[in-house]
């Protein structure tokens, strides 16, 4: 299939347009390509390439395939506390070599370097006039992590197509084979000269998701969607690269770095609501998501987008985007452990499981370029502010324990329909 | 008024059938409103017959008849005719002279009846004098067609009628329609339930084969080629597509070409031009068309 039409067809279309007869775009296939750059200053840099295609296979069958490639480099917080006036030395996850953290700095493991490839494919098949069945498979791999999954969804229209009810199920099997093996929970991070104790084999987990969704047309310009989903993850969910610092209750100085430990089972409940309203030309989209899980994490996400049509060209728009996110911590979250106290059953200092507030400010611009092609540009700024604990002992009160994390996303997307 | 249009209830709406453009015409209307369906089908039939009458080569009240009767004298044409002539000019230029609405006279020499009668070179050369868009003068709205030359808008007229009917019905009502005039068709969009139209396109290249089933969520399809119309020459089967530049059948042309495009006129011109590219039909379609099907 030709990716673009040639000159003959283009000029012919122009000549036909002057005849004043109807032209009905026939859309059989669509190819999306996008490049995304993600930068957390001083931390992570990621570059992502996406290519996705949808194709009308005939008989109402729609096929889709998507390939994503990510390259990541940089450093990520290892969970340990900063030290006000001394250089800290940490052993790399492989057990070979060390990295040093300057006084007052958040300990970042700079061995974070990876490439990931993900491939997914799916089919949508109509079952009669009102029902649709969808199947998909997914696979991704990086040097220490593989994920395989499958999903199925059934949707049916009611009330003259004003209501759609859908049920989706998916299963994923993830395997992690960390560099240097999986540390024994709460084992101490040893120096490279010592032989660390490790768990046997790879860590794996199975994730089951179920989503029940209803989308309802309220009036000619308003659509509401409500989803309820349950996600059950069973298996190894500890981050083998993260530690929790044990600190002296008086000085606040670390006395040991222990590998973290998380529960093996996590059940999440998520409620999501979306309101989409077409104004005379523009489109407003508001959504809210609430998540609660048995690790004790709860989160709220409020998201607003406004699609502003520009000029006379219907495909040209500017879309500001604002998102607010608030998360309460997991029960097992603790920024440090106190020396001399009994170890809890689970503990993690991963800031991503801690209490935090995050804002995203974004802008997207889209416009058609030539026939059946669209280009989009997206720029977003994300700032995450963790809650800093009030009762930090000793030197911990003087360091920037959990500094805010900012990130910038830049994306260029290109869609061709043919 | 005589019942020109036959109406039948289909699973999802109404089908109107009538005869025009030298063949069966069909309009599928995705509505349960019987009165509306009947009205729209009548409109479709009237429009098809209007265009047929206007551009017929055989009727003495047609625009084409008047153009031919002018016998070399300048003639002003109406807007609709001018639009088609502009399109014909564009097609001729874009196709490097392959698509030429003046080439109809060549059919006087060639009989594609499956026999072996091939015209003598002299016979073909005598007619070639009367072929060539470059020999006429077209300055909208005035046409000067040298005496003896003829225009044949048959290669555009049927597809134009299909597009016109879709335009007309779309203006009249918001009902999903599929207009099919002898295999050249145009769907106004998906059906009421969002599903594509399932179109059985007869493959004129292979009569032994079942119709090709194409799902069309909107847009047009046109087919060029006719397996029954050929002539045998020295053991070689020559199809009915004549190259106006040589006056002879195109060698190595596919048996049939079907093209999908946004409008039926576009699909038709692309399909015919592909045939005129002979062995290069696929390469041409690869470069110029979205979805296409070739039978060799």
């Amino acid at each position: 299939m030709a990716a673009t039409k040639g000159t003959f067809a283009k000029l012919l279309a122009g000549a036909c347009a002057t005849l004043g007869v109807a032209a009905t775009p026939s859309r059989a296939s669509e190819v999306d390509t996008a490049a995304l750059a993600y930068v957390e200053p001083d931390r992570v840099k990621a570059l992502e390439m996406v290519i996705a295609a949808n194709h009308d296979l005939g008989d109402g069958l729609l096929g889709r395939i998507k390939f994503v490639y990510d390259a990541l480099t940089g450093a990520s917080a290892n969970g340990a506390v900063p030290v006000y006036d001394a250089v800290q030395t940490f052993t790399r996850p492989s057990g070979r070599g060390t990295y040093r953290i300057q006084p007052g700095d958040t300990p970042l493991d700079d061995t974070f370097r990876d490439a990931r490839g993900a491939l997914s494919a799916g089919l949508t098949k109509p079952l009669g006039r009102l029902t649709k069945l969808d199947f998909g498979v997914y696979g991704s791999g990086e040097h220490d992590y593989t994920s395989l999954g499958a999903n199925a969804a059934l949707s049916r229209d009611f009330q003259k197509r004003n209501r759609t009810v859908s049920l989706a199920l998916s299963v994923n099997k993830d395997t992690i084979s960390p560099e240097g093996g999986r540390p024994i929970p709460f084992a101490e991070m040893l120096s490279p000269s010592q032989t660390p104790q490790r768990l046997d084999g790879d860590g794996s987990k199975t994730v089951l998701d179920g989503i029940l969704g209803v989308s309802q047309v309220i009036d000619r310009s308003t659509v509401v969607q409500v989803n309820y989903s349950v996600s059950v993850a069973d298996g190894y969910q500890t981050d083998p690269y993260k530690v929790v610092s044990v600190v002296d209750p008086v000085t606040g100085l670390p006395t040991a770095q222990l590998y973290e430990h998380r529960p093996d089972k996590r059940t999440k409940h998520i409620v999501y609501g979306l309101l989409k309203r077409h104004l005379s030309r523009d489109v407003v989209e508001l959504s809210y998501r609430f998540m609660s899980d048995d690790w004790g994490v709860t989160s709220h996400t409020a998201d607003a987008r406004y699609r502003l049509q520009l000029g006379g060209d219907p495909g040209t728009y500017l879309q500001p985007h604002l998102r607010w996110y608030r998360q309460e911590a997991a029960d097992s979250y603790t920024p440090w452990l106190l020396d001399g106290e009994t170890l809890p059953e689970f503990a993690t200092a991963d800031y991503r499981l801690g209490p935090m507030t995050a804002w995203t400010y974004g802008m997207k611009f889209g416009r058609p370029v030539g026939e059946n092609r669209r280009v989009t540009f997206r720029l977003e700024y994300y700032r995450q502010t963790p809650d800093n604990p009030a009762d930090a002992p000793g030197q911990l009160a003087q360091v920037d324990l959990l500094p805010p994390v900012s990130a910038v996303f830049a994306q260029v997307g290109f869609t061709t329909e043919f | 008024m005589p019942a020109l249009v036959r109406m039948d209830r289909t699973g999802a709406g109404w089908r109107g059938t009538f005869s025009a453009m030298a063949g069966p015409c069909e309009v599928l209307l995705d509505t349960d409103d019987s009165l509306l369906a009947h009205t729209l089908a009548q409109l479709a039939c009237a429009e098809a017959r209007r265009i047929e009458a206007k551009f017929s080569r055989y009727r003495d009240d047609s625009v084409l008849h008047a153009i031919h009767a002018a016998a070399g004298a300048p003639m002003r044409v109406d807007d609709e005719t001018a639009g088609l002539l502009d399109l014909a000019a564009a097609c001729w230029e874009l196709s490097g002279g392959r698509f030429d609405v003046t080439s109809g006279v060549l059919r006087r020499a060639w009989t594609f009846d499956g026999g072996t009668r091939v015209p003598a070179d002299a016979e073909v050369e005598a007619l070639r004098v009367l072929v060539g868009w470059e020999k006429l003068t077209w300055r909208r709205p005035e046409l000067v067609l040298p005496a003896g030359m003829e225009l044949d808008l048959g290669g555009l007229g049927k597809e134009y009628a299909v597009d016109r009917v879709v335009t007309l019905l779309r203006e009249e009502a918001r009902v999903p329609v599929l207009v099919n005039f002898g295999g050249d068709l145009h769907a106004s969009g998906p059906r009421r339930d969002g599903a594509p139209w399932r179109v059985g396109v007869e493959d004129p290249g292979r009569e032994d084969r079942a119709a090709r089933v194409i799902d069309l969520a909107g847009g047009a399809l046109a087919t060029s080629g006719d397996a029954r119309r050929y002539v045998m020459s020295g053991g070689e089967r020559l199809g009915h597509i004549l190259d106006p530049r040589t006056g002879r059948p195109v060698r190595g042309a596919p048996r049939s070409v079907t093209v999908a495009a946004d409008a039926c006129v576009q699909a038709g011109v692309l399909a015919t031009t592909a045939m005129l590219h002979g062995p290069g039909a696929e390469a041409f379609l690869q470069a110029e068309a979205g979805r296409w099907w070739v039978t060799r």
Side-chain angles (χ1 to χ4, degrees):
Chain A
M1 179 159 297
T4 52
K5 284 183 198 162
T7 325
F8 184 103
K10 267 184 208 143
L11 294 171
L12 175 63
C16 289
T18 61
L19 272 182
V21 294
T24 311
S26 48
R27 302 264 150 83
S29 300
E30 190 170 284
V31 173
D32 281 312
T33 49
L36 171 76
Y38 171 86
V39 179
E40 278 179 34
D42 304 326
R43 292 197 176 185
V44 183
K45 286 185 191 67
L47 201 64
E48 183 175 279
M49 295 295 301
V50 182
I51 179 156
N54 293 309
H55 186 62
D56 180 352
L57 298 165
D59 293 336
L61 218 58
L62 285 175
R64 60 178 188 276
I65 190 158
K66 184 176 182 181
F67 178 72
V68 180
Y69 177 81
D70 296 302
L72 294 102
T73 55
S76 83
N78 71 2
V81 295
V83 171
Y84 174 57
D85 60 354
V87 171
Q88 298 192 80
T89 305
F90 295 91
T91 305
R92 293 193 186 282
S94 63
R96 294 183 296 273
T98 57
Y99 55 94
R100 292 155 66 87
I101 301 300
Q102 294 306 306
D105 285 359
T106 305
L108 301 177
D109 178 355
D110 63 359
T111 29
F112 188 37
R113 177 183 290 275
D114 209 346
R116 183 181 73 108
L119 187 67
S120 60
L123 268 184
T124 303
K125 184 180 168 44
L127 294 177
R129 273 168 50 105
L130 299 170
T131 310
K132 257 194 303 207
L133 194 61
D134 188 281
F135 293 105
V137 288
Y138 169 86
S140 75
E142 52 199 296
H143 88 283
D144 61 354
Y145 203 91
T146 55
S147 179
L148 293 173
N151 54 70
L154 190 67
S155 69
R156 187 172 169 85
D157 294 332
F158 298 93
Q159 287 186 341
K160 296 184 178 174
R161 297 189 170 272
N162 284 325
R163 179 181 293 166
T164 306
V165 177
S166 55
L167 178 70
L169 295 169
S170 74
V171 58
N172 257 67
K173 176 89 177 171
D174 298 356
T175 307
I176 182 164
S177 32
E179 225 168 289
R182 287 187 297 149
I184 287 177
F186 294 132
E188 196 170 336
M189 180 188 266
L190 302 174
S191 70
S193 59
Q194 298 167 291
T195 309
Q197 288 181 293
R198 298 298 196 201
L199 295 171
D200 289 335
D202 298 333
S204 74
K205 71 166 189 269
T206 306
V207 185
L208 284 169
D209 285 286
I211 305 174
L212 181 65
V214 179
S215 112
Q216 175 79 45
V217 177
I218 303 292
D219 60 42
R220 278 177 56 191
S221 54
T222 315
V223 182
V224 168
Q225 191 184 335
V226 178
N227 288 353
Y228 167 68
S229 49
V230 184
S231 168
V232 180
D234 195 359
Y236 185 75
Q237 296 177 69
T238 297
D239 188 330
Y241 303 126
K242 299 231 185 289
V243 294
V244 185
S245 299
V246 178
V247 301
D248 183 283
V250 179
T251 63
L253 287 167
T255 57
Q257 310 291 355
L258 306 184
Y259 285 104
E260 64 151 64
H261 187 209
R262 302 180 192 185
D264 276 352
K265 195 157 182 189
R266 185 179 192 184
T267 305
K268 294 182 193 175
H269 297 268
I270 298 157
V271 179
Y272 170 81
L274 167 77
L275 173 85
K276 195 168 177 174
R277 188 166 168 85
H278 291 255
L279 308 176
S280 59
R281 297 182 72 212
D282 304 344
V283 184
V284 191
E285 225 180 284
L286 300 171
S287 73
Y288 169 75
R289 179 181 183 271
F290 174 74
M291 192 281 290
S292 170
D293 70 19
D294 60 357
W295 282 12
V297 180
T298 54
S299 72
H300 305 264
T301 312
D303 191 292
R305 288 158 210 256
Y306 189 91
R307 185 173 155 140
L308 181 72
Q309 294 293 336
L310 295 179
D313 202 338
T316 305
Y317 64 90
L318 196 63
Q319 182 177 274
H321 174 209
L322 185 66
R323 176 188 284 164
W324 171 80
Y325 178 79
R326 173 67 206 171
Q327 174 176 300
E328 303 308 331
D331 300 335
S332 57
Y333 173 78
T334 179
W336 61 77
L337 291 166
L338 288 177
D339 203 352
E341 289 191 352
T342 319
L343 278 180
E345 191 184 3
F346 304 107
T348 176
D350 189 340
Y351 69 97
R352 290 170 300 184
L353 288 172
M356 64 159 97
T357 305
W359 284 93
T360 304
Y361 313 88
M363 191 65 88
K364 187 176 174 183
F365 174 74
R367 66 161 298 169
V369 278
E371 203 180 333
N372 296 340
R373 276 191 253 171
R374 295 190 303 271
V375 65
T376 56
F377 298 92
R378 183 163 70 99
L379 190 65
E380 290 197 329
Y381 174 75
Y382 169 82
R383 188 170 175 86
Q384 173 185 305
T385 313
D387 297 3
N388 269 292
D391 52 349
Q395 66 100 19
L396 292 179
Q398 296 174 55
V399 294
D400 197 0
L401 198 59
L402 296 164
V405 177
S406 325
V408 174
F409 304 80
Q411 187 186 44
V412 180
F414 198 63
T415 302
T416 308
E417 292 167 329
F418 49 90
Chain B
M1 188 170 162
L4 297 170
V5 184
R6 179 197 156 101
M7 296 299 293
D8 295 296
R9 190 84 173 94
T10 64
W14 289 90
R15 178 199 291 117
T17 41
F18 50 90
S19 170
M21 308 268 164
C25 297
E26 178 182 80
V27 186
L28 295 177
L29 301 142
D30 202 0
T31 177
D32 297 318
D33 185 336
S34 156
L35 185 63
L36 181 63
H38 280 72
T39 311
L40 294 177
Q42 292 288 350
L43 267 174
C45 176
E47 180 67 359
R49 294 194 166 185
R50 180 188 71 80
I51 294 168
E52 180 182 25
K54 184 167 179 178
F55 300 107
S56 169
R57 285 186 294 140
Y58 310 106
R59 292 174 60 136
D60 55 13
D61 58 349
S62 79
V63 168
L64 274 198
H65 188 268
I67 289 171
H68 297 154
M75 188 185 158
R76 282 176 78 89
V77 301
D78 64 282
D79 275 354
E80 187 177 40
T81 308
L84 285 171
L85 289 175
D86 280 345
L87 178 64
C91 291
W92 177 77
E93 202 167 313
L94 288 169
S95 67
R98 289 181 175 91
F99 192 108
D100 193 329
V101 294
T102 65
S103 64
V105 293
L106 293 168
R107 281 198 290 260
R108 292 182 202 156
W110 294 90
T111 315
F112 297 103
D113 57 0
T116 55
R117 201 198 90 83
V118 173
D121 286 353
E123 196 181 345
V124 173
E125 291 309 313
L127 288 171
R128 281 189 63 200
V129 176
L130 301 173
V131 174
W133 180 267
E134 73 281 3
K135 292 170 187 153
L136 61 78
T137 311
W138 166 235
R139 281 196 193 86
R140 189 177 179 133
E142 196 173 81
L143 175 72
V144 182
L145 184 71
M149 282 183 73
E150 280 183 16
L151 293 185
D152 180 4
L153 295 178
L156 295 171
K158 190 165 70 164
E159 290 89 340
Y160 170 68
V162 169
D163 290 337
R164 271 292 307 163
V165 169
V166 170
T167 312
L168 205 64
L169 299 192
R170 197 182 264 170
E171 283 163 5
E172 203 62 32
R174 295 186 69 85
V175 168
V177 296
L178 177 90
V179 175
N180 180 355
F181 289 179
D184 291 331
L185 52 96
H186 187 155
S188 66
R191 301 168 60 142
R192 266 185 292 174
D193 61 3
W197 299 86
R198 178 149 304 176
V199 179
V201 177
E202 264 184 57
D203 184 349
R206 290 285 168 86
E207 288 171 86
D208 51 327
R209 224 184 251 178
R212 179 177 268 137
V213 177
I214 295 173
D215 277 315
L216 199 65
L221 287 179
T223 301
S224 178
D226 186 342
R228 288 156 300 190
R229 294 179 61 204
Y230 63 92
V231 62
M232 297 302 289
S233 165
E236 192 187 355
R237 187 178 185 283
L238 299 175
H240 73 115
I241 301 289
L242 290 164
D243 189 336
R245 300 170 305 173
T246 61
R248 290 169 175 79
V250 179
R251 288 212 147 86
R255 292 192 181 199
S256 86
V257 173
T258 298
V259 179
D262 296 352
C264 201
V265 175
Q266 291 174 42
V269 172
L270 287 170
T272 305
T273 310
M275 292 291 275
L276 287 160
H277 274 81
E282 286 89 345
F284 171 78
L285 291 166
Q286 191 73 46
E288 302 292 347
R291 296 162 88 191
W292 50 271
W293 300 263
V294 164
T295 305
R296 288 234 169 236

